[in-house]
Amino acid sequence: MRKILVTGGTVFVSRYVSEYFADKGDAVYVLNRNHRPQPRGCTLIEADRHQLGDQLRRRVFDAVLDVTAYTGKDVSDLLDALENVQDYVLISSSAVYPETAPQPFAESQQTGANKYWGAYGTDKIEAETELLRRVPGAYILRPPYLYGPMDNVYREAFAFECADQNRRFYLPGKGEMKLQFFHVRDLCRCIEAILDRHPAEHIYNVGNEERITVRDWVSQCYRAAGHRAEFVEVYRDISQREYFPFSDYEYQLDITRQKELITDTVPLEKGLSESYYWYCGHKDEVRRKGYIEYIDRMQDH
C-alpha cells in the first residue's frame, strides 16, 4: 500500500486519479477546499494549496500526484509546505509545445509559447520548470485532449447532447482536422507504471497513437449515444470556437516513450461509450457552453 497525495480530487482528472488509486488499495489523500463532493475511498485534507501553513509538515507521502498545478507558484507553494518529497508526478499538457515546432512533438524539443493555448501553455511551462528546479527527479506527463468518465468539459458532452436531441451537427468545413485523445484511465496506468518502475526518462508525452478527424470523432460520439450523425458543413467567416469545442489547431505528439510505460490504450469507441454512460447520469456536472444557442441564432441569419 502506498500513501499518495493527490491535489484536487473533486473534478474530472483529479477525481478519477484519486478513485483509481484508492480502488487499487492505496491510501489516497486529496488536497482541496471541500467545495464539492469528495472522491470515494479517499481522505480529505481540507486546505487551499496556497495557504497550507503546517498542514502537511508531519505527513509523509510515498507519492505526490499533482493534477491541479497550472503555474510555477502552484508548484512552489506546495513544495514549500511538504516536509519531504519522494515521488512527484506532475500532469502537465501538450500545450507546452509551440505550434511552430516540427511535428510530431517529441519530449526533447524546446517548449515555448503557443498562440492557440496562450497563457495556459506558458503557465504550464513555468510549472514544469519550477518543479524540475526543485525536484530534479520528478516526473512530468504531457497529454493531449483527455476524455473519459467524469469529464465535465463540454466536448464529447456537447456531441452527446446534440445526438440526444437528434440535431444535425455543425462541423467546421469538411471536418478533416485531426486530433489526438487519451483516456483518463490510461493516464492513471502511466502514473502507476512510473511509481512501480521509476523509469530513466522523466518527461513523457502520453496519448493514443492514432489520431482521428473531427468528423469521425463526432460520428463516434453519436454512435455511443445510439444515433447516426448528420452534418452541416460551416464555411462562414466566423470563429469555430463559437459553435465547436476545439480550436482550429491540429497537432500530434510522439508517444514512443509512452510505450515503455504501457503497450496498449483504451480504444476510442469503447472510451466514448464509457463517457456517454457517465454523462447520462451526471449531466448537471458538465460545464455547459452556449454552442447550441449560437448555432440556433446562426440558423436564423
Side-chain angles (χ1 to χ4, degrees), residues 117-151:
W117 292 107
Y120 173 75
T122 52
D123 286 348
K124 280 289 191 180
I125 293 170
E126 290 179 5
E128 290 188 6
T129 302
E130 178 66 10
L131 176 60
L132 294 179
R133 183 182 74 82
R134 300 275 300 268
V135 187
Y139 290 90
I140 293 170
L141 299 181
R142 295 171 176 167
Y145 293 106
L146 290 166
Y147 79 104
M150 305 185 190
D151 186 358

Side-chain angles (χ1 to χ4, degrees), residues 7-294:
T7 60
T10 61
V11 175
F12 187 26
V13 178
S14 64
R15 186 181 190 93
Y16 195 103
V17 167
S18 300
E19 294 190 2
Y20 178 91
F21 284 98
D23 288 344
K24 291 285 183 177
D26 292 311
V28 177
Y29 294 75
V30 292
L31 175 63
N32 63 68
R33 293 173 292 176
N34 199 19
H35 290 171
R36 297 184 176 94
Q38 296 301 315
R40 181 187 67 253
C42 301
T43 300
L44 171 65
I45 301 174
E46 184 176 345
D48 186 314
R49 67 182 294 158
H50 297 294
Q51 299 174 348
L52 286 166
D54 294 330
Q55 292 205 54
L56 301 181
R57 286 295 175 201
R58 289 173 293 279
R59 298 178 185 267
V60 177
F61 301 100
D62 298 304
V64 175
L65 309 183
D66 198 349
V67 184
T68 61
Y70 296 96
T71 68
K73 181 172 173 54
D74 289 343
V75 171
S76 61
D77 284 355
L78 181 61
L79 287 172
D80 288 346
L82 289 164
E83 201 156 82
N84 60 72
V85 176
Q86 297 185 42
D87 286 330
Y88 195 120
V89 181
L90 171 69
I91 308 304
S92 184
S93 170
S94 57
V96 300
Y97 296 111
E99 80 282 359
T100 53
Q103 294 192 36
F105 299 138
E107 295 91 341
S108 58
Q109 290 177 217
Q110 185 68 39
T111 59
N114 183 307
K115 69 178 183 180
Y116 294 97
W117 292 107
Y120 173 75
T122 52
D123 286 348
K124 280 289 191 180
I125 293 170
E126 290 179 5
E128 290 188 6
T129 302
E130 178 66 10
L131 176 60
L132 294 179
R133 183 182 74 82
R134 300 275 300 268
V135 187
Y139 290 90
I140 293 170
L141 299 181
R142 295 171 176 167
Y145 293 106
L146 290 166
Y147 79 104
M150 305 185 190
D151 186 358
N152 66 331
V153 181
Y154 198 53
R155 290 194 292 251
E156 59 261 30
F158 167 54
F160 295 153
E161 184 176 353
C162 290
D164 285 346
Q165 295 180 10
N166 291 311
R167 298 180 64 97
R168 293 187 300 168
F169 195 92
Y170 279 63
L171 198 64
K174 293 186 179 299
E176 295 174 339
M177 180 177 71
K178 290 184 177 180
L179 298 178
Q180 197 169 13
F181 292 90
F182 200 47
H183 195 287
V184 66
R185 183 162 65 253
D186 288 331
L187 180 73
C188 293
R189 293 171 61 214
C190 288
I191 296 170
E192 188 174 18
I194 286 171
L195 298 182
D196 287 344
R197 303 177 206 164
H198 294 95
E201 299 291 353
H202 285 261
I203 300 177
Y204 289 87
N205 291 336
V206 292
N208 292 350
E209 187 162 21
E210 71 281 0
R211 294 184 299 161
I212 186 170
T213 67
V214 292
R215 177 182 286 266
D216 288 343
W217 174 80
V218 172
S219 295
Q220 289 203 22
C221 288
Y222 270 63
R223 283 201 296 274
H227 297 272
R228 181 178 178 274
E230 295 183 5
F231 296 98
V232 176
E233 295 178 359
V234 178
Y235 295 96
R236 298 187 191 184
D237 186 20
I238 54 175
S239 170
Q240 69 184 47
R241 289 311 305 270
E242 298 287 349
Y243 64 93
F244 187 70
F246 300 99
S247 296
D248 184 15
Y249 172 47
E250 178 178 298
Y251 69 91
Q252 183 175 12
L253 296 173
D254 181 339
I255 52 97
T256 302
R257 283 187 187 177
Q258 175 188 298
K259 296 175 184 178
E260 303 168 12
L261 304 177
I262 59 173
T263 57
D264 63 326
T265 56
V266 176
L268 186 61
E269 185 174 4
K270 180 177 186 294
L272 288 173
S273 293
E274 294 175 1
S275 297
Y276 180 70
Y277 181 81
W278 179 86
Y279 163 79
C280 287
H282 300 85
K283 295 179 182 180
D284 59 333
E285 296 178 31
V286 174
R287 297 202 308 265
R288 197 177 180 283
K289 295 189 176 181
Y291 302 141
I292 289 177
E293 290 76 12
Y294 184 88

